[in-house]
Structure formats: C-alpha cells, structure tokens
Amino acid sequence: DGGITQSPKYLFRKEGQNVTLSCEQNLNHDAMYWYRQDPGQGLRLIYYSQIVNDFQKGDIAEGYSVSREKKESFPLTVTSAQKNPTAFYLCASSTSGGWTEAFFGQGTRLTVV
Amino acid sequence: GIQVEQSPPDLILQEGANSTLRCNFSDSVNNLQWFHQNPWGQLINLFYIPSGTKQNGRLSATTVATERYSLLYISSSQTTDSGVYFCAVGGKPNFGNEKLTFGTGTRLTIIP
C-alpha cells in the first residue's frame, strides 16, 4: 500500500541523548516535512525538504537536524540541544511544495525520561 | 509568512446537530486543506480545497479565495466526528512559500 510510515510509534529517551525518528514514503513525492505538536496545540514546522539533498529550516529548527539522501526517506534527529523534546512528531509528504496536497504519517510520540 | 486563524477554538454540540468551522488566512494561497486529527493523533485528510466547494457525505467545504477564508460544514454530527479539525495553507509556488502552515485548530466535542 502507498503511504507514509513513521517509526517507532513510541520512543523513550534519556536526557542528553540524541535520537533519530524515521519517516519513509512510497508515494514518489518530492517534498517532505517534519512537524512538532505539543499537547493541546497546533502543528509547528521543524524542517522541510523539496528535493533530495536539500532541506530548509522551518519555524522551530533549533535542536533538530535532518538529512535527505534518498527521495523516500527524511529522518529527523532530536539532539541533546533541544530543550523540550517531549512531543508528538508528525512527518508529511506532498508532490512538490506546500502548494500541493500533503499526506501525513501516524506520528511518533517522544518522551524524555 | 501566511497567518492562519481558526474559529471557534472549541465547540460542543449534541449528536445530530450541524456545525460550521471557519479558517481565515492572510494572503493568497495555492493550497488549502482540512484535516481531522483522530484520538490517536493521526491527521486524516478531509478536503484539498484551494477554491470552490466540495462535498463528501456529511461533510462539505467552501473556500472563497478572494476573501481569504474557508468553511467546513459538518451535518448531522456523530460522536465519531469528535476531535480536532485543522486548516492548513500553502502559498503560491514562490521562494518562501514551500511550507504548509497550520491554524491552531477547532476542538469539536459531540455529546451523545
């Protein structure tokens, strides 16, 4: 089935550790995005990529890093520099850019313990 | 960037009632989407509607691009309609508009 797969669904991390969230899509989409959602809040953009080997910072990129080495994959690393990493992370993809319809994965809940 | 405002922030209705959710945006858009976030957090695509009117069962949406707003209508509400509804917009394909910007959502609660 075509879609966007995020893994793992739940992730626990000790303070001070880096952790990488996976996002894979088989929709042949050029653009991919990472959003963060805090309880009771909307979605805020962390990073986005319109094409392989290129990505741009979103509104809250500090403490995060990404790579886009393959079209179908856009992993997000939450570094120890991120002060409040506990959140729900959502990955999305679209044909090309924010002006085309986007589809989301099921999300990863990250908890720092 | 484009600003997106949704209203009302919260809405509590009896089962069977109708509701209207509003999304205002600050600039021209090439993309407007409505999503329903289910209790497990997943965002379900409801409509891709940068302009015009669409209907899907009990749900319909209208976007008036020239006046910079969109409306989501839910008729004969069911408890499964409960959740948060988000509006998201993307600008014209120019530099800086590559991203999809979300509103803060409307939390809908349907009471049996």
Side-chain angles (χ1 to χ4, degrees):
Chain A
D1 283 357
I4 301 167
T5 302
Q6 290 187 241
S7 61
K9 205 168 182 179
Y10 299 95
L11 190 55
F12 295 88
R13 185 197 99 176
K14 288 187 177 178
E15 220 170 303
Q17 289 180 338
N18 292 355
V19 63
T20 297
L21 282 59
S22 170
C23 179
E24 304 275 332
Q25 54 97 0
N26 60 5
L27 300 169
N28 200 32
H29 285 172
D30 284 315
M32 296 187 74
Y33 313 83
W34 275 105
Y35 288 87
R36 168 183 172 136
Q37 186 178 31
D38 293 288
Q41 305 294 314
L43 278 71
R44 294 183 291 167
L45 183 66
I46 305 172
Y47 268 98
Y48 60 101
S49 167
Q50 281 201 285
I51 198 167
V52 174
N53 292 323
D54 185 56
F55 48 83
Q56 305 295 329
K57 291 182 180 180
D59 302 315
I60 55 164
E62 186 175 349
Y64 300 98
S65 66
V66 294
S67 62
R68 188 84 187 277
E69 296 175 3
K70 298 187 295 182
K71 187 176 186 177
E72 58 270 21
S73 178
F74 191 40
L76 174 75
T77 297
V78 184
T79 75
S80 55
Q82 168 50 234
K83 290 184 173 29
N84 297 298
T86 294
F88 186 49
Y89 292 87
L90 286 153
C91 176
S93 71
S94 65
T95 308
S96 59
W99 49 87
T100 56
E101 187 175 10
F103 298 87
F104 280 79
Q106 292 188 317
T108 293
R109 291 194 186 277
L110 172 64
T111 303
V112 175
V113 297
Chain B
I2 300 175
Q3 306 299 313
V4 184
E5 291 183 358
Q6 290 186 245
S7 60
D10 292 280
L11 191 55
I12 301 173
L13 296 172
Q14 206 76 35
E15 198 169 21
N18 301 331
S19 57
T20 301
L21 283 58
R22 186 176 179 103
C23 173
N24 291 336
F25 44 94
S26 62
D27 204 346
S28 301
V29 297
N30 263 34
N31 177 9
L32 190 142
Q33 292 184 245
W34 284 98
F35 296 92
H36 176 212
Q37 188 167 39
N38 67 22
W40 296 273
Q42 186 167 10
L43 285 169
I44 308 298
N45 288 45
L46 297 178
F47 294 103
Y48 171 72
I49 187 166
S51 64
T53 297
K54 290 186 178 179
Q55 179 155 7
N56 184 3
R58 296 182 296 103
L59 274 61
S60 64
T62 295
T63 297
V64 184
T66 52
E67 297 187 23
R68 299 183 184 169
Y69 73 89
S70 182
L71 302 173
L72 177 68
Y73 305 98
I74 304 173
S75 64
S76 305
S77 300
Q78 300 175 358
T79 55
T80 51
D81 295 330
S82 295
V84 183
Y85 290 80
F86 287 104
C87 167
V89 303
K92 292 184 184 292
N94 294 321
F95 180 78
N97 281 338
E98 300 88 352
K99 56 187 182 180
L100 194 64
T101 301
F102 279 75
T104 50
T106 292
R107 181 173 297 277
L108 177 64
T109 303
I110 304 298
I111 301 170

